[in-house]
Amino acid sequence: MLTKHEQILQHILDLDVGSKISVRQIAKDLTVSEGTAYRAIKEAENQGIVSTIERVGTIRIERQAKSNIEKLTFAEVVNIVEGQVLGGRAGLHKTLHKFVIGAMKLEAMMRYVDAGSLLIVGNRVNAHELGLKAGSAILVTGGFDTEEEVKRLADDLELPVISTSYDTFTVATMINKAIHDRLIKKDIVLASDILIPIDETHYLYQHDKVQRWHELNQQTMHSRYPVVDQGNRVTGVVTSKDIIGVPVSTQVEKVMTRAPLTVTEKTSVAACAHMMIWEGIELLPVIGTSHKLIGILTRQDVLKAMQMMQKQPQVGATFDDLITTELKEQKVDNEISFFCRITPQMTNHLGTVSYGVLMTLVTETARKALRKIKKGDLVVENVTFYYIKPVQIDSDIELIPRVLEVSRKFGKVDVEIHHDGKIVGKAMMMAQLLDHRS
């Protein structure tokens, strides 16, 4: 039987794309409290099936596939540019495929405008009308309005007309940044990308006997299984260690490890790997709404995914990427060091290198040093600076990493930072090493 929370989520899923949603209306329709309705709507927003827009409200949108994550809906554009919807609200859920800046003559502009476009233009009513007729949404910059006839046309065609106070250049920059941010997110592998779905794996119920564990073990050769209650909510995990010497007639509930660590679909694989290495576990249940089991992650799958991630090209550059690309490696007398120039982007308001940038540089040089000794992935446990002096803008620094200790599962690296032949920083990094043979 579905909980009230699940009933509301199902109700939202059944709504037509573009439908408006309100806490009060859902509470009234499904006879639940407004608090329950609010929590369910927030969960639906996290799942990407509704979007809340200022001065418009909450609407049902189409969940976007991961392959299209770089695409934006017009509803999201409204949020990005802090805009106001003048007409065509019913089309806010539609996806933006490209945007066209209307800074040319009308005839030339219309050659680039087609269905799924967003025409960014100022106070040019003719362009607004022609753009809508070509199947494009309109973003009016400079805080201008448009004519009532254009608004009616937008409503009829279900294509949004949005007004923003920002100028055309600023708006284009804001949308570009949003798309770039999504390209970076696209490159992040999540638990949902590699999990083994519930219908392709095995699990035990609390009331099952230990005999059932033995049957599954013979059938699958696996020794770890999540345990669920009658509502498929995860309540434990059982492994071979738990059932050693236990009579086969014993209920699984009595021997399982209770309140196990779990992750959601949106947990990154890197976070899952850290959790597994840190806690020394081989299996992670993946849960959905109401703590229900939707699949599992195994240590082997997580490590394989991390290996694959390293081989994939980076789609968008993060701040760490921009910082570490400045590192240049050099080897002298069997000692490896790295050189880096402190660019203006790496400094704080005082004109000296920022602590965060130094942390990134130290971490990356220590990683490189460890990987030369032991191939594979690692998870940083902590970085401690125990000496640091200010380094000015445009200075050239040298980072010298020295591996102090390394074992199968652990590494310790000391990093010295030099400028003009003097030590300006010292740090220690400890890392957990991911054993791919596990």
Side-chain angles (χ1 to χ4, degrees):
M1 185 177 176
L2 295 177
T3 63
K4 287 182 178 180
H5 183 84
E6 292 164 340
Q7 288 173 19
I8 299 168
L9 285 174
Q10 189 57 54
H11 171 75
I12 293 171
L13 275 169
D14 292 339
L15 292 173
D16 293 332
V17 172
S19 301
K20 288 197 72 172
I21 299 167
S22 75
V23 170
R24 187 170 296 174
Q25 191 61 46
I26 283 185
K28 181 180 176 183
D29 291 346
L30 299 182
T31 322
V32 296
S33 70
E34 290 192 1
T36 302
Y38 175 79
R39 286 190 292 273
I41 290 173
K42 279 297 174 188
E43 174 65 27
E45 197 167 359
N46 291 335
Q47 292 181 16
I49 58 175
V50 303
S51 179
T52 302
I53 308 160
E54 191 177 352
R55 295 188 294 275
V56 173
T58 304
I59 60 170
R60 170 79 166 89
I61 62 171
E62 190 171 357
R63 180 186 279 149
Q64 295 180 23
K66 189 173 174 73
S67 58
N68 290 326
I69 197 166
E70 71 275 15
K71 306 287 180 63
L72 298 170
T73 64
F74 295 122
E76 291 167 303
V77 171
V78 176
N79 281 333
I80 291 164
V81 302
E82 300 172 19
Q84 179 180 356
V85 181
L86 304 178
R89 279 188 172 83
L92 284 169
H93 65 280
K94 294 178 180 176
T95 301
L96 155 68
H97 297 290
K98 67 174 183 179
F99 62 88
V100 179
I101 297 176
M104 56 190 89
K105 289 184 178 180
L106 199 58
E107 297 78 15
M109 183 197 314
M110 294 313 298
R111 287 204 297 268
Y112 299 95
V113 177
D114 52 23
S117 301
L118 175 67
L119 176 59
I120 303 174
V121 67
N123 188 24
R124 299 173 66 181
V125 176
N126 287 346
H128 302 169
E129 186 176 351
L130 287 174
L132 287 170
K133 289 178 178 177
S136 172
I138 309 297
L139 178 54
V140 185
T141 59
F144 292 109
D145 202 340
T146 191
E147 292 184 355
E148 291 301 319
E149 186 180 339
V150 172
K151 295 176 185 178
R152 285 194 294 270
L153 179 61
D155 289 337
D156 292 340
L157 297 175
E158 295 187 356
L159 288 169
V161 175
I162 305 160
S163 175
T164 177
S165 59
Y166 293 108
D167 60 68
T168 301
F169 175 79
T170 303
V171 163
T173 303
M174 293 165 84
I175 295 174
N176 252 331
K177 182 182 182 301
I179 292 173
H180 188 75
D181 289 350
R182 290 194 166 210
L183 284 168
I184 293 172
K185 289 180 182 178
K186 180 180 179 180
D187 215 37
I188 298 172
V189 181
L190 305 179
S192 57
D193 298 313
I194 65 167
L195 66 82
I196 303 171
I198 188 170
D199 54 356
E200 294 179 20
T201 188
H202 297 86
Y203 52 94
L204 294 164
Y205 287 101
Q206 291 179 156
H207 58 73
D208 283 337
K209 307 296 185 187
V210 169
Q211 176 62 37
R212 178 60 181 154
W213 180 94
H214 288 286
E215 292 169 1
L216 288 178
N217 178 244
Q218 288 289 323
Q219 180 184 338
T220 66
M221 302 304 293
H222 296 155
S223 61
R224 300 172 179 84
Y225 304 98
V227 182
V228 299
D229 61 16
Q230 289 302 308
N232 263 37
R233 288 177 283 270
V234 176
T235 57
V237 167
V238 65
T239 72
S240 55
K241 292 179 183 177
D242 298 320
I243 55 91
I244 292 174
V246 175
V248 294
S249 59
T250 307
Q251 278 195 337
V252 167
E253 185 179 14
K254 294 182 179 178
V255 296
M256 70 183 186
T257 301
R258 295 178 180 275
L261 290 172
T262 59
V263 293
T264 69
E265 292 178 282
K266 293 188 177 182
T267 306
S268 71
V269 166
C272 295
H274 190 281
M275 199 179 298
M276 287 178 140
I277 295 296
W278 185 256
E279 299 294 338
I281 54 180
E282 305 290 329
L283 178 143
L284 272 175
V286 183
I287 58 171
T289 56
S290 302
H291 217 72
K292 286 192 174 182
L293 180 69
I294 59 173
I296 63 165
L297 290 176
T298 68
R299 185 188 181 101
Q300 186 178 20
D301 290 335
V302 167
L303 295 181
K304 280 182 182 177
M306 290 198 70
Q307 285 178 301
M308 287 298 295
M309 284 158 59
Q310 287 190 331
K311 297 174 184 176
Q312 298 301 317
Q314 181 75 19
V315 181
T318 63
F319 288 123
D320 278 7
D321 296 325
L322 297 174
I323 293 166
T324 55
T325 51
E326 297 292 325
L327 281 173
K328 304 292 185 286
E329 185 176 336
Q330 181 176 298
K331 189 173 182 180
V332 178
D333 298 330
N334 291 323
E335 185 174 70
I336 296 168
S337 61
F338 297 85
F339 291 86
C340 177
R341 167 154 292 196
I342 304 304
T343 64
Q345 291 80 13
M346 295 181 180
T347 58
N348 56 28
H349 66 286
L350 299 174
T352 60
V353 64
S354 79
Y355 181 80
V357 167
L358 273 184
M359 179 75 77
T360 299
L361 291 171
V362 164
T363 302
E364 186 60 22
T365 53
R367 280 178 187 274
K368 288 178 182 290
L370 274 176
R371 286 197 180 116
K372 289 185 183 299
I373 296 173
K374 190 173 178 66
K375 301 296 181 186
D377 303 309
L378 57 91
V379 176
V380 176
E381 187 176 310
N382 66 64
V383 178
T384 304
F385 278 92
Y386 50 96
Y387 178 69
I388 190 167
K389 288 183 69 177
V391 179
Q392 300 298 314
I393 191 171
D394 291 330
S395 298
D396 291 309
I397 61 172
E398 180 184 14
L399 296 102
I400 305 171
R402 295 186 179 92
V403 178
L404 303 180
E405 186 180 342
V406 64
S407 64
R408 193 168 72 89
K409 293 188 176 182
F410 176 79
K412 183 190 292 186
V413 186
D414 179 83
V415 181
E416 283 186 358
I417 306 167
H418 293 250
H419 171 56
D420 282 343
K422 298 178 182 177
I423 295 178
V424 293
K426 286 179 74 70
M428 181 81 70
M429 186 188 89
M430 313 254 229
Q432 296 273 351
L433 305 178
L434 277 63
D435 188 354
H436 290 150
R437 294 174 296 176
S438 297

